Amino acid sequence: NRSGTAVRTLGCIISIDMDLGTRNAGFQEDKSEEPTAQITKFDSEEKSDAMSLKLDTVEEYNQIKPYAGMPKEVLLLYSSQARYKVPREILFWLTVACTLALVALTITVIALSPRCLSWWQMSPVYQIYPRSFKDSDGDGVGDLKGILEQLDHFDYLNIKAVWISPFYRSPMKDFGYDVEDFRDIDPLFGTMQDFEELLAEMHKRDLKLIMDFIPNHTSDKHRWFNLSRSGDPQYRDYYVWTDCNASNPKPNNWVSIFGNSSWSYDKVRGQCYYHQFLKEQPDLNLRNPHVRKEISDLIHFWLEKGVDGFRMDAVKHIFEAEHLRDEPQVDPDKPPEEITTEWDLHHDYTTTQVGLHDLLREWRAEMDIYSREPGRYRFLVTESYDYHEIEKTMMYYSTPLVKEGDFPFNFYLLDLPQNTSGLWAKHLIDLWMSNMPNGQWANWVVGNHDRLRIGTSAGPSFIRTINMMLLSLPGTVTTYYGEEIGMQNINITQDQVQDPAGRYNVSLSRDPQRSPMQWSDDMNAGFNPKTNLTWLPIHPDYKTVNVEAQMNDASSVLAQYRYLNILRESEMPLHRGWFCHVHADARVFSYLRELDGLSRAFLVVLNFDNEPAVTDLSSIMELPSQVNVLVSTVHTNKGKSMPKSQIQTEAGEGLLIQFSSNMKFNHNHKEQCYISEKACYLEAMGILYKC
């Protein structure tokens, strides 16, 4: 009834007044029997005893199912029943098992996942020669504010790392490589505040800044040298000095990189000092622990500023033999007085001396202190021209036990124009890959501030093809400013020479490859829009070969460079997959880029000849019978379909072909394939793992 109901338990009748509470909608009355109980009054003691009795009944409780708001006694009654207890236990242990499985899977994925690529592996390194990049104040010389103005260019190209050649305070005898003060900016380029603003904006855009660092020598205007030549006890041995005769200052036959003796007499000190470059660039004595401490402090100074890495200049020259013996002549019969160039001697005592790699490893350890912050790895690349002694270059790589450089610059592709053929290209690439230590990362250079632009040395018809090769090879590309638009060397006359190396012989000048960047078809190619001043002449082709014009042309060198760079970053076979050369002849070089487990792969076909070619790759079973061109350096050939037995290329044309295959070339041709760190792709789950 509405006023109350009776519940029988243990033969007792308990009176419950329902008007004292709220009716529970989840409660269902038992309609199988009519309520016949009468309300009986008990004294307070008996009622209390009855309410405390447990419900493990003599007469089974007949409520059909639990209901919301049930008392504890009813809850306990149901929770002890198997049909409620067992599901709870099943759910509990299932939750435990799933948690453990998830933890195990996470640990497994972490353990099996290959190392993530660092920022210096994911993007080309773009070299800026600051005098020539962008002039912001109208004096005809590029500067730091000019670089700041053009940071959008790197965003457009998808460039993530920028190396800036020296901008330290300098007398500019060697355009910044003769440093007067390592802790200051030369006024020609701006101020320290300009540098800090540039660095902050670069980091805001997720751009990394690599500085040029010159540990081998200073300017003769440096404070250390002035104190050393005056005999200051603390600085006396900061440089390499020896006794010599003022009338004939040649303690031995060692020669400078720029020619003639590498010794110069200093009348203040009355001794000769050693310089492997210009006489205004005296070599530091890095055997002196105080000098090493000075260099270490300089590294800390710039790392504290926030720079992301260093390009270590001329590292093979850091030490020289203390005994100062004559170096052996290349031609033993040549008169000693005619030994005037670096090519006349075997440099057994002036390059790659004992202790060099120990010193570089010390600096690497100093840099690693700043690499502990997540995402702030500090990068180290070394410069050493070792020519035919490639084994010396490979020593700059780190080992599994000791860290040194992330990679040394690979200058061997600078020789590509000597013989533009498929066989020669294959030889130069294989030279590096076959000598590189296992697990290391490759690097490719085709031009810089000291060497001819590739557009001039190889010819403008090969610029696109060489860029395609660079951006499809494994490793990090170094792009010298202007290569992305196909800039070429300028022609200069003797009276236009700025480079000290060319003042007596214009053919030795490095000025032609240092001409101002071509931004637009405006005055001075947009390099200096304020005045009619440029420190070197502008190339006359700037009206068509400039950034602005090529941004609006889908078939331009710039458009192709940008597309390939973005593709390289997005496609795993291109940035971390296998490299397998599959064909080389007098005209064509061809290779595959593939990743185990991923069906998508790429074929690159490069014609280095001045004639069209037809390449038969029917023996490559991993290729489909018909292939489609994804990118061609001849824009009209994009999308073209052809049989693999007749892959046609025009003179100087490069093709990037994407195809799908579950067969992998590297499985059966290990001797033709290279990879830095092997990884496999689980396509069903989209997971990359070690294999």
Side-chain angles (χ1 to χ4, degrees):
N1 57 49
R2 299 289 297 176
S3 62
T5 186
V7 177
R8 282 195 304 248
T9 178
L10 297 178
C12 299
I13 297 176
I14 304 172
S15 176
I16 304 173
D17 190 353
M18 294 298 292
D19 289 334
L20 298 177
T22 302
R23 182 169 181 82
N24 192 316
F27 177 82
Q28 299 180 13
E29 290 186 347
D30 190 347
K31 302 190 188 301
S32 62
E33 59 176 306
E34 293 296 326
T36 58
Q38 58 182 351
I39 300 174
T40 307
K41 293 184 178 179
F42 294 90
D43 59 36
S44 59
E45 184 177 352
E46 289 172 331
K47 186 174 181 179
S48 176
D49 291 341
M51 291 298 291
S52 66
L53 293 174
K54 292 184 179 179
L55 295 176
D56 49 356
T57 65
V58 172
E59 187 172 348
E60 188 175 328
Y61 180 64
N62 59 12
Q63 175 67 32
I64 296 175
K65 61 182 180 180
Y67 58 90
M70 71 183 79
K72 180 177 70 174
E73 291 79 9
V74 178
L75 177 62
L76 291 173
L77 171 64
Y78 281 97
S79 65
S80 63
Q81 294 181 13
R83 60 176 174 164
Y84 296 106
K85 183 176 181 180
V86 172
R88 285 203 317 276
E89 291 184 353
I90 292 173
L91 288 172
F92 171 76
W93 290 113
L94 186 61
T95 302
V96 171
C98 288
T99 302
L100 292 175
L102 185 60
V103 171
L105 179 62
T106 302
I107 294 172
T108 302
V109 168
I110 293 173
L112 293 179
S113 294
R115 179 181 55 85
C116 293
L117 297 183
S118 189
W119 56 265
W120 52 272
Q121 297 171 304
M122 291 298 295
S123 162
V125 172
Y126 188 101
Q127 182 191 356
I128 291 176
Y129 195 68
R131 296 179 70 93
S132 301
F133 196 64
K134 184 67 164 65
D135 176 18
S136 70
D137 57 11
D139 65 354
V141 178
D143 46 50
L144 297 179
K145 285 187 175 180
I147 298 173
L148 180 63
E149 291 176 1
Q150 298 298 330
L151 291 184
D152 286 345
H153 185 59
F154 306 122
D155 293 336
Y156 176 77
L157 291 177
N158 196 39
I159 295 288
K160 304 294 176 62
V162 177
W163 153 36
I164 306 178
S165 293
F167 46 82
Y168 308 101
R169 181 179 288 275
S170 167
M172 297 296 166
K173 295 295 184 180
D174 192 19
F175 294 132
Y177 285 94
D178 51 321
V179 181
E180 181 180 348
D181 187 347
F182 284 98
R183 287 183 167 88
D184 198 9
I185 309 297
D186 195 274
L188 191 66
F189 300 123
T191 65
M192 184 61 78
Q193 182 179 347
D194 293 335
F195 169 78
E196 291 169 350
E197 289 176 359
L198 172 63
L199 182 61
E201 182 61 26
M202 288 181 67
H203 285 170
K204 183 179 177 181
R205 295 168 179 250
D206 199 26
L207 281 167
K208 307 296 184 182
L209 190 152
I210 301 166
M211 282 187 66
D212 225 321
F213 194 78
I214 304 98
N216 178 70
H217 51 265
T218 70
S219 164
D220 62 349
K221 304 299 183 185
H222 198 288
R223 183 178 66 90
W224 298 343
F225 187 74
N226 288 323
L227 290 169
S228 184
R229 72 193 301 211
S230 64
D232 185 288
Q234 181 179 345
Y235 295 93
R236 182 175 181 83
D237 295 326
Y238 264 47
Y239 295 83
V240 181
W241 297 91
T242 191
D243 294 330
C244 66
N245 188 330
S247 60
N248 186 26
K250 288 188 177 181
N252 54 35
N253 70 346
W254 297 357
V255 293
S256 161
I257 300 300
F258 290 107
N260 298 314
S261 176
S262 57
W263 296 95
S264 289
Y265 181 76
D266 180 66
K267 61 182 180 180
V268 174
R269 178 153 167 162
Q271 285 185 305
C272 283
Y273 64 89
Y274 180 61
H275 53 88
Q276 296 209 47
F277 295 88
L278 296 174
K279 65 182 180 63
E280 293 88 358
Q281 296 170 288
D283 274 37
L284 286 164
N285 176 18
L286 282 154
R287 299 188 189 279
N288 183 334
H290 297 293
V291 176
R292 293 165 80 128
K293 179 63 167 56
E294 295 273 16
I295 298 298
S296 178
D297 289 345
L298 291 172
I299 290 172
H300 281 271
F301 174 82
W302 289 106
L303 291 175
E304 290 285 350
K305 290 282 185 185
V307 301
D308 300 287
F310 294 110
R311 174 255 192 193
M312 290 288 180
D313 177 69
V315 290
K316 76 175 186 179
H317 300 285
I318 283 177
F319 287 120
E320 51 287 318
E322 294 182 276
H323 53 62
L324 305 185
R325 297 172 190 156
D326 282 355
E327 290 189 311
Q329 296 181 190
V330 172
D331 179 4
D333 298 326
K334 193 170 187 176
E337 61 273 12
E338 295 181 14
I339 303 299
T340 58
T341 74
E342 62 172 320
W343 311 111
D344 292 330
L345 299 173
H346 294 291
H347 298 289
D348 296 344
Y349 305 141
T350 55
T351 63
T352 320
Q353 297 297 294
V354 174
L356 166 62
H357 293 284
D358 291 332
L359 181 57
L360 291 173
R361 290 162 188 166
E362 287 179 19
W363 293 340
R364 169 78 266 181
E366 298 289 343
M367 294 176 65
D368 282 345
I369 296 172
Y370 296 83
S371 296
R372 294 169 185 165
E373 183 182 346
R376 292 302 310 275
Y377 180 80
R378 306 308 170 98
F379 169 71
L380 176 63
V381 58
T382 53
E383 183 223 26
S384 179
Y385 287 91
D386 294 303
Y387 305 104
H388 63 282
E389 298 178 300
I390 191 171
E391 67 281 355
K392 290 185 177 180
T393 305
M394 294 299 162
M395 292 176 68
Y396 294 102
Y397 274 113
S398 297
T399 72
L401 298 178
V402 183
K403 287 192 67 176
E404 193 169 330
D406 291 298
F407 57 69
F409 274 136
N410 171 8
F411 296 121
Y412 291 91
L413 279 182
L414 292 169
D415 295 334
L416 184 63
Q418 293 180 11
N419 178 9
T420 49
S421 72
L423 288 170
W424 182 241
K426 174 186 176 296
H427 165 72
L428 294 176
I429 292 167
D430 187 62
L431 178 67
W432 189 270
M433 300 301 283
S434 61
N435 283 281
M436 184 175 67
N438 290 335
Q440 297 299 332
W441 193 257
N443 161 258
W444 311 99
V445 177
V446 295
N448 59 32
H449 59 289
D450 288 330
R451 302 291 167 151
L452 295 179
R453 288 189 175 275
I454 196 67
T456 297
S457 58
S461 60
F462 292 103
I463 291 173
R464 298 167 186 264
T465 298
I466 291 172
N467 277 343
M468 175 176 282
M469 178 181 70
L470 294 173
L471 291 168
S472 60
L473 285 172
T476 297
V477 181
T478 302
T479 296
Y480 185 49
Y481 80 96
E483 286 178 357
E484 74 274 26
I485 59 173
M487 281 179 61
Q488 299 183 59
N489 282 21
I490 59 171
N491 294 318
I492 59 170
T493 59
Q494 187 67 57
D495 62 341
Q496 293 174 317
V497 171
Q498 301 289 325
D499 180 20
R503 289 194 181 146
Y504 305 105
N505 184 348
V506 69
S507 66
L508 299 178
S509 175
R510 297 165 295 179
D511 292 329
Q513 57 263 31
R514 298 175 177 179
S515 63
M517 179 67 175
Q518 296 161 204
W519 294 105
S520 68
D521 62 359
D522 295 332
M523 181 177 69
N524 299 323
F527 166 73
N528 173 14
K530 296 182 178 180
T531 64
N532 197 25
L533 295 173
T534 58
W535 78 285
L536 282 173
I538 304 290
H539 198 288
D541 69 2
Y542 78 93
K543 288 288 185 181
T544 55
V545 180
N546 66 72
V547 173
E548 188 176 280
Q550 294 193 15
M551 286 179 70
N552 298 316
D553 181 2
S555 64
S556 67
V557 177
L558 180 68
Q560 177 196 281
Y561 182 99
R562 178 175 184 261
Y563 179 85
L564 289 172
N565 190 31
I566 292 173
L567 184 71
R568 176 186 180 273
E569 183 184 36
S570 62
E571 291 289 351
M572 284 189 290
L574 290 176
H575 70 250
R576 70 179 308 156
W578 286 91
F579 164 81
C580 301
H581 53 81
V582 296
H583 178 85
D585 59 30
R587 294 180 176 178
V588 173
F589 176 45
S590 184
Y591 51 89
L592 293 171
R593 299 303 313 277
E594 61 185 23
L595 184 68
D596 291 326
L598 186 63
S599 59
R600 188 169 61 258
F602 296 89
L603 169 69
V604 183
V605 182
L606 308 170
N607 185 349
F608 286 102
D609 196 52
N610 291 313
E611 298 292 334
V614 177
T615 305
D616 181 5
L617 296 181
S618 57
S619 62
I620 310 301
M621 304 304 297
E622 293 76 10
L623 287 174
S625 58
Q626 198 78 6
V627 295
N628 298 310
V629 176
L630 178 65
V631 184
S632 171
T633 57
V634 178
H635 192 64
T636 54
N637 288 340
K638 180 181 178 181
K640 190 176 180 180
S641 179
M642 59 189 78
K644 68 176 179 180
S645 59
Q646 290 184 312
I647 298 179
Q648 300 176 359
T649 50
E650 298 181 23
E653 183 182 11
L655 303 176
L656 180 67
I657 295 168
Q658 181 178 312
F659 65 94
S660 182
S661 175
N662 291 320
M663 295 187 295
K664 298 303 172 191
F665 186 84
N666 73 83
H667 291 175
N668 300 313
H669 305 85
K670 296 292 186 186
E671 72 284 354
Q672 294 175 237
C673 299
Y674 304 96
I675 194 167
S676 176
E677 184 177 355
K678 188 177 178 182
C680 296
Y681 188 72
L682 186 58
E683 203 158 9
M685 298 183 65
I687 294 176
L688 195 67
Y689 63 95
K690 294 178 185 176
C691 56

